Amino acid sequence: TFDVDYVGYNGRGKGSLNTRYAKPDGSADGAPEIVRTNMPSNIDIAVAKLDYTAPLGKGKFETGLKSSYVTSNNTMVYETFQDVWTIDNSRSNQFKYLENVNAGYLNYSGSLSKKIKIQLGLRAEHTHSIGNSITLNTKKDRNYINLFPSVFLTNQLDTNNVLNFSYSRRIDRPNYQLLNPFEFYLDPYTFQKGNPNLKPQYTNSFQLTHIFKNIINTSFGYSLTKDLISDELPQQIASENKTFVSAYNLDQQNAFNLTLSAPIRIQKWWNIQVNATGIYNHTKSIYLDAPLSLKQYSWNGYANSQFTLKKGWSAEISGYYNSKALYGLYQTKAMYALNAGVQKSLFNKKATIRVNVNDIFWTNRFRGHALYEDINFRVKSEWPSRQVRVSLAYNFGNQNVKGARQRNTGSDDLKNRAGGNN
């Protein structure tokens, strides 16, 4: 198979900030600060990939090549108002980013015996990236090669028990906007900015999974991440009484997790699927010239309850709970949400009408507190997560026609890195 993809993003971000100061008696205290920003952003992604598969002995051999070329052009025009709008060149900037990744892989899957199956893989990547802050006249040029092995083993112990083991090494590159050194002001004393020196993070992951009767899954995992990307680390500029958040690489993170997944059948018409995970994270680094050691136990759970009712009716209730946890330097509070939905089949199951309510009690929100050295920083975020959706689907024509080939394009991972900031 051969695929060529092109994706283009065209963003037109704008912002404004109008700050007025008052004395205790309510009268004006000095001139107001009025600023506005114009932030056009363009990201172009071009990807070509070639994949080849052939039988080999009692197994299957796969190989392929992939090349991606990404360019990002971002401009920040920062203006202040005093009788007329004036461009502030000290805060305005243009940032260009270019990234070319060329990769090849080999993969073999087969059987060692009647009970043991194996899959071995190796991917090699060459990356060349250039981040150029034109206004600041700074350039970051990186050129490196990486190898990413993977191993998967499946052992059918008996008719009821299966044991799986996996190991893989992967790379996670930062989102493009995290590399952008622009300053985005939340208020006169707080702003966000990107970090052009941000490096990719590398993770070695091990997973052991036991499956009982193809129903109950229990897994234990361990991962070691080097150059961990933490995208909202706070710092202070004491001389200006300002605080900003930016992305930085922390030295390493050790993570352990234990997961249990199982279905529960209450009645013939009522089924529940539950998942529960316990997590331990330990992050170590040097941050703000001081040793950093963060340890946290946390857990999360998810449950989905499905009801099959009479006359084509069905219903669903689902919810999740995340305990307090560590997010970079932030100690976060628990997050949780409850969802519900109902649907009805119509016209001999050719049509379906659905009504869903997400986050019924509007509890899905972020609360965090960073307390480190001279930093005492609190963050809270809310978004319109409580939504009601009504949909109607109708299937017409020959229901036996074979669907189109489902495929993952070569640009999927790159589109994810474009994020929502474009």
Side-chain angles (χ1 to χ4, degrees), residues 21-65:
Y21 301 92
K23 297 178 181 178
D25 61 4
S27 61
D29 185 8
E33 294 183 28
I34 304 174
V35 301
R36 68 183 183 186
T37 56
N38 185 18
M39 300 169 285
S41 174
N42 297 282
I43 302 176
D44 294 286
I45 301 171
V47 185
K49 72 184 185 85
L50 174 69
D51 298 290
Y52 174 76
T53 303
L56 180 62
K58 295 183 179 180
K60 181 174 65 174
F61 171 75
E62 299 170 286
T63 187
L65 300 170

Side-chain angles (χ1 to χ4, degrees), residues 110-131:
S111 300
L112 297 181
S113 66
K114 291 183 178 180
K115 293 186 176 182
I116 300 177
K117 297 180 180 179
I118 189 171
Q119 178 177 315
L120 302 174
L122 179 65
R123 188 174 85 257
E125 289 187 355
H126 170 253
T127 303
H128 184 206
S129 65
I130 301 175

